[in-house]
Amino acid sequence: MSDGMRGVVVAHGGLAAALVEAAERIGGAAGALVAVSNTECGRDEIERRVTEAVGDGPAVVFVDMPCGSCFFAAMRLSRARSDVQVVTGVNLPMLLDFVHHRTLPPADGADRAAGKGHDAIRHA
Amino acid sequence: MPIALYRVDDRLVHGQVVIGWGKPLDLGFIVLVDDGVFAAEWERDLYRMGVPPEIELRFADVTEALRQLPAWRADPRNGLVLTGDVQTMAALVRGAPPIERVNLGGLHHKPGRIPRLPYIYLTADELELLRSLAANGTEITAQDLPTSAPVALEGLA
């Protein structure tokens, strides 16, 4: 799957890679998502990694928490690029939905992903 | 109340600061001393998003910090003063004594820096500056989280 915007998952430690691997195993959308870790990164390095992972095209950047170095790096890039949107609180359901709706405009894709992720959080 | 922690961390406000130290220290406020962030309203707004409502986040440049440090020390809440580089912290140590301890929490790779710990890279000039602060009575240790063992400055050479 290579058409449409890119999903970039940015998280602490090995979380992003694990989420991307799980999403690919379940959703079968290899290549739709890119994982970025902030391990041993200062501000400049995490911003460089996020910018490189996003590339030149439209993207949604999924971060683990609505604070911290991953979030701030994503927000700085989003401020400079209207085609890069940020969704916080990344979870597997939102990624699984996102990979099949990558032709949406980035803002719509981000809204949809955030909604799907939120819907998946329940007191079961 | 004395400032609970003076920390140097080039990631500025992030999880280790807000949660890792913020919870055990029961922080009531954090002061980010950074000339660039202080001058940019959108950056200040961004960092405010990263702090829970029970912790007040203040911003200052070095000049403002030197002026305000006595008031911050008199605040009855526990506070953390945060800088993104060694030079800014050195300006506070020299300009607003006493600062008895400085925590190195995260200084990462940049050209000219040498790895000292996985989370601490220092240039020779930065190490020398820290040594000069230590020689004047400030204890310098590296410690990313309260649960980690502190590493004395001599261990970073």
Side-chain angles (χ1 to χ4, degrees), chain B residues 5 16 48 57 59 67 102 111 139 141 145 150:
Chain B
L5 191 71
Q16 284 187 357
R48 281 194 188 96
L57 181 60
F59 301 92
R67 188 162 45 230
V102 168
E139 182 185 2
T141 56
L145 287 165

Side-chain angles (χ1 to χ4, degrees), chain B residues 25-131:
Chain B
L25 292 178
D26 191 25
L27 291 179
F29 68 95
I30 295 170
V31 184
L32 174 56
V33 183
D34 185 281
D35 290 0
V37 174
F38 184 66
E41 184 178 359
W42 77 271
E43 286 229 40
R44 297 198 302 271
D45 290 342
L46 193 59
Y47 282 107
R48 281 194 188 96
M49 295 169 70
V51 175
E54 63 270 21
I55 298 178
E56 180 189 2
L57 181 60
R58 299 173 178 173
F59 301 92
D61 59 10
V62 171
T63 304
E64 179 72 3
L66 293 175
R67 188 162 45 230
Q68 291 294 332
L69 260 166
W72 297 334
R73 288 168 176 149
D75 194 307
R77 300 170 298 171
N78 291 326
L80 185 152
V81 172
L82 178 65
T83 74
D85 56 58
V86 172
Q87 292 81 2
T88 301
M89 184 59 75
L92 301 186
V93 172
R94 288 170 170 165
I99 293 178
E100 295 169 348
R101 293 179 189 82
V102 168
N103 160 253
L104 305 179
L107 288 166
H108 295 84
H109 175 72
K110 278 186 176 179
R113 279 185 176 162
I114 297 169
R116 317 284 176 163
L117 294 173
Y119 59 93
I120 297 293
Y121 290 60
L122 295 170
T123 66
D125 287 347
E126 287 169 330
L127 182 59
E128 196 55 38
L129 182 53
L130 291 168
R131 281 175 169 155

Side-chain angles (χ1 to χ4, degrees), chain A residues 6-20 33-39 41-42 45-55 60-64 69-71 73-74 77 90:
Chain A
R6 181 173 293 178
V8 176
V9 184
V10 187
H12 291 71
L15 179 59
L19 281 169
V20 169
L33 299 170
V34 179
V36 174
S37 170
N38 74 339
T39 297
C41 284
E45 177 60 15
I46 185 65
E47 288 182 32
R48 188 197 67 75
R49 289 184 187 184
V50 173
T51 300
E52 181 178 283
V54 165
V60 174
V61 181
F62 299 91
V63 299
D64 49 5
S69 56
C70 302
F71 173 68
L77 181 59
V90 61

